[in-house]
Structure formats: C-alpha cells, structure tokens
Amino acid sequence: MISDLKDAWQASAFHSEELSLFARNATLNDTRRGLVSLSIVLLAIFASGAVLFYFFNFSQYTVYTTCLLAVLAAHVMISAHAARDARALYLLGTTLIMISGTAFVLLAHRAGDFNQVLFASVALLFMVAPLVPWGLREAMLVTGLIYATFTLSTWTSVKQFDSETLWSLQFIMVSAGLISMMLVVRNTCIRKEDIRARYDLEQVNRKMMYLSNKDPLTGAWNRRFLKNAFDGFAARHHDADRPYHFAFVDIDDFKPINDNCGHEYGDAVLRAVAGAFGEAVGDDGYFVRMGGDEFAVLFGAEDPQVLLAEAWEQANAAMPPHKDCAVLPLGLSIGLLSVPPGRALSLVEVSREADSALYRAKDRKEDFRDTANIIAKQVNAASGKHESVA
C-alpha cells in the first residue's frame, strides 16, 4: 500500500528521465481529456440543477448561480483544448471546482441553511475530482482546498448553522474525500502501469524498426532503409541549398578473397569496409549494403571524392591480417554522382547514373590497386545533363 501511495504521488514522475518525458507527453493528452470530462459532468449537473431549481421554485439567486456555473464549466471545457501544459490544465480544473464550492457556500449563507441539494452538491464536488488524471499530490491539494473552504465558511458562521448540519457536512466531506483519494491512487497506479507498458512497447517497436533496416552482418543500412530515407535526405539538402552525393562501392575480386581466404575472412572484409565508410559519412549520410560485396553511399560533403578516398584508406587500414592470404591493398571501384541543390532526381535516376559510373571504374580497376578508383559524375544544375569527371 505504501509503495502504491509513493507511485501515485505524482502522475508523471518515474525513475527514468526518458520515461518521465514520455509520461509527461502522454499525461498531457490524458489530463486534457479528463478535464473535458470533468467540465461536461459539471455542466450537465449545473444545467439540470438550474432547471430543477427553477421548477421547484428555488430562489432566483440559486437558479442564476447554477446557470453561471454551467457557463463556467462550458468555458473550461473549451479552454482545455487550448492549453499546452499539464499545470495549466490542473489550474483550470482546480479553479472550476473551487469556484463551484465557493458558490455553494455563498448560497448556503444566503439561505441560512444547507439543504439536501447543497449537501449533494458538496459530495459531488469531492467525487468528480478523480475524473482529472492528476496525481495524489494535486488531488489532495484540490480536495484540501474544498474542505477548507466549506469548513472555514461554515464554522466561522456557527450561529447561522446548527451543529447537526455542521457535523453532517464534515462527515460527508471526509467520507467523500477519502473515497475520492482512494480512486485517485487506484487510477494513477493503473495509468502509470499503462504508461510503462506503452513506453516499453514503443521501445520494442523502435528496436524492431531499427533492426529491420540494418544489415545484420555489417551493421550498415539495408535497401529498405535507403528507399525510405532517400527522398527526405534529398529534400533536406535541397532546402539547405546544399548538394548531395550518391555512390556505388564495389569490392574488387571479392569472390577470390572468399574462395582463398575463407568466408569468415570475407565477412571481416565486409565489416571493415562498412565500418570505415560509415564513420566517414558520419551523421550527414548513410552507408548501405545493397547485397553481396556492393554498397551504396548517400551523403553530403564539400569534397566527396576526398571523403571517399579517405574512407578507402581507412578500410585498408582496418583490414584484418590473415596468415595465409595477402589481399592488401584492398581494391574498391566507386561510381559517384553529385547532385546540386534545386535538382529533383529520384532514387532510380541517381542509381542509374552512379551505376554507369561504377561499371566504368570496374573496367579500369587493374590500374588502381594503390589508390582510390573513383569515376565521378556531376549533374548540371541548369540543363540537368550529367558531366563525367574521372
């Protein structure tokens, strides 16, 4: 029970900061819905009460007051949609309940007695508090304010109300308040467990989405990710008035490496290439395994050929040693296409141009064992024609 009270003390407090942030975002929507529900319930109570008071010939002050409270409840319901902070929503709910309680006290003072309708209204104010998904701390503050308002206003006017009325009012308030607090604790604990479950599910979904877009052998992105990410990447560089680059990278003579050095060593070569190029493009690009020993690079850089050449050097430096095979330096054929800002090309179009450059690079791979073998193409911003740069 003590652990439940601690857990229910604050609606959005959790041990993890990341979970707390997730809870605050989720609690905001829940709080807004709860405040709207509270406003609707009180609007219905006040509106129907005004009709009943008028029908049973209550004083005009009673009818007029309940009509104003109904208007206030409607106003809070509308304002709840505009609030962007949970504290503002809590304040709106507290204000609505406190003004309603104060109005009932003033009506009782004017009538000189707490009739059955006012007793029922007091109980309802305590009972509707759990409709707002606040924590135990906020709920105790609200109910404490209601209790203090009624108690101080009645006991300071003890000559106006008989002792039986005052003690009956105390019994109703304490009983309704305890029930209300028990409901708040229960609802808050259930809600926080639901938030934890939703957070865990979202984390699992993120992890599954991440893994579904990764190549399990090299850790590089896969074809699916490239297809989904390309348009957004190109649009961001276009908006920033920056060029972007797309390249195909093919490992030269990879089959002999596998056949002579073994598939485990071949896998190590793939991982070395993926690690070097992935580190080279950093946060402004993606290194993608297209299949087998062919990769794609989507990146932004001021000098893309220098970046690719440095990545080739890093890949060779990261090559694992093999006692029976000498594969260094590792040959890579690279076909590069640079797209200036303002040119809207599809993934199919840039792939086709980069692929043609790659095949030209592969035709001359024997002459580029000791340096990066890159055939570069540039899209002309004005005409859209592709200019080759060896």
Side-chain angles (χ1 to χ4, degrees):
M1 183 63 183
I2 295 177
S3 61
D4 289 341
L5 291 175
K6 290 182 179 179
D7 197 34
W9 184 246
Q10 288 183 269
S12 59
F14 292 85
H15 297 299
S16 167
E17 180 60 31
E18 187 176 353
L19 178 55
S20 296
L21 178 61
F22 176 85
R24 283 193 290 272
N25 295 330
T27 302
L28 178 60
N29 294 326
D30 291 341
T31 303
R32 182 177 289 110
R33 286 192 292 266
L35 182 57
V36 169
S37 300
L38 172 67
S39 303
I40 292 174
V41 169
L42 290 181
L43 174 60
I45 292 173
F46 296 146
S48 58
V51 173
L52 289 175
F53 294 155
Y54 177 80
F55 182 79
F56 288 109
N57 296 318
F58 277 67
S59 69
Q60 62 177 349
Y61 297 104
T62 304
V63 177
Y64 181 69
T65 299
T66 49
C67 286
L68 286 180
L69 292 176
V71 172
L72 176 62
H75 177 72
V76 170
M77 179 180 64
I78 296 172
S79 300
H81 295 286
R84 293 293 179 266
D85 182 73
R87 293 181 180 178
L89 293 170
Y90 289 153
L91 182 59
L92 281 172
T94 303
T95 301
L96 175 58
I97 293 176
M98 287 304 303
I99 291 178
S100 301
T102 303
F104 291 143
V105 170
L106 294 175
L107 286 175
H109 275 282
R110 185 173 184 86
D113 187 23
F114 266 97
N115 53 40
Q116 293 177 345
V117 174
L118 292 176
F119 269 113
S121 301
V122 172
L124 285 171
L125 285 179
F126 280 94
M127 297 301 291
V128 297
L131 290 176
V132 178
W134 35 37
L136 181 60
R137 181 182 62 178
E138 293 82 7
M140 288 181 64
L141 175 62
V142 172
T143 54
L145 289 173
I146 299 173
Y147 176 83
T149 299
F150 279 100
T151 300
L152 292 175
S153 62
T154 52
W155 285 96
T156 54
S157 303
V158 67
K159 293 181 180 180
Q160 193 171 358
F161 306 107
D162 59 79
S163 59
E164 182 180 349
T165 298
L166 296 177
W167 286 111
S168 298
L169 180 62
Q170 288 291 313
F171 175 76
I172 291 175
M173 289 193 296
V174 172
S175 301
L178 288 175
I179 295 173
S180 178
M181 291 303 99
M182 291 177 64
L183 290 174
V184 167
V185 171
R186 178 179 180 275
N187 293 344
T188 304
C189 289
I190 293 175
R191 188 165 54 252
K192 293 184 78 168
E193 284 301 318
D194 176 66
I195 289 175
R196 291 187 183 98
R198 286 157 57 188
Y199 174 78
D200 291 340
L201 180 61
E202 183 173 302
Q203 293 300 107
V204 170
N205 287 336
R206 284 183 178 179
K207 186 174 182 179
M208 290 180 62
M209 182 63 69
Y210 178 82
L211 292 175
S212 69
N213 287 313
K214 282 285 187 175
D215 173 56
L217 175 62
T218 64
W221 298 105
N222 60 22
R223 282 175 173 265
R224 176 190 299 173
F225 176 82
L226 177 62
K227 183 178 179 180
N228 294 331
F230 177 81
D231 290 338
F233 184 89
R236 288 195 301 273
H237 282 71
H238 170 75
D239 294 341
D241 197 31
R242 294 177 55 207
Y244 70 90
H245 317 282
F246 184 84
F248 278 127
V249 178
D250 188 85
I251 301 177
D252 297 335
D253 303 320
F254 184 70
K255 187 177 185 302
I257 294 176
N258 263 335
D259 293 342
N260 298 328
C261 305
H263 288 282
E264 289 187 4
Y265 187 78
D267 291 346
V269 171
L270 293 174
R271 286 192 289 267
V273 172
F277 277 83
E279 184 177 349
V281 298
D283 295 331
D284 191 20
Y286 307 109
F287 189 69
V288 182
R289 187 183 183 193
M290 303 299 289
D293 61 337
E294 185 174 305
F295 300 89
V297 196
L298 178 63
F299 63 108
E302 293 186 4
D303 196 334
Q305 295 192 58
V306 170
L307 184 146
L308 294 174
E310 290 177 350
W312 171 79
E313 293 176 357
Q314 290 298 320
N316 273 283
M319 284 285 290
H322 194 287
K323 62 180 181 179
D324 298 325
C325 295
V327 296
L328 292 177
L330 180 68
L332 297 177
S333 297
I334 302 174
L336 169 67
L337 178 70
S338 296
V339 183
R343 290 295 302 162
L345 298 179
S346 67
L347 177 59
V348 173
E349 291 173 312
V350 299
S351 297
R352 182 172 58 245
E353 295 301 324
D355 197 44
S356 68
L358 173 66
Y359 275 97
R360 289 176 56 192
K362 292 173 71 172
D363 288 340
R364 64 178 195 178
K365 65 182 181 181
E366 298 301 331
D367 300 328
F368 284 84
R369 286 298 183 182
D370 297 324
T371 186
N373 178 18
I374 304 172
I375 293 290
K377 283 186 173 184
Q378 173 76 43
V379 177
N380 187 286
S383 65
K385 295 181 180 179
H386 306 126
E387 303 173 352
S388 296
V389 181

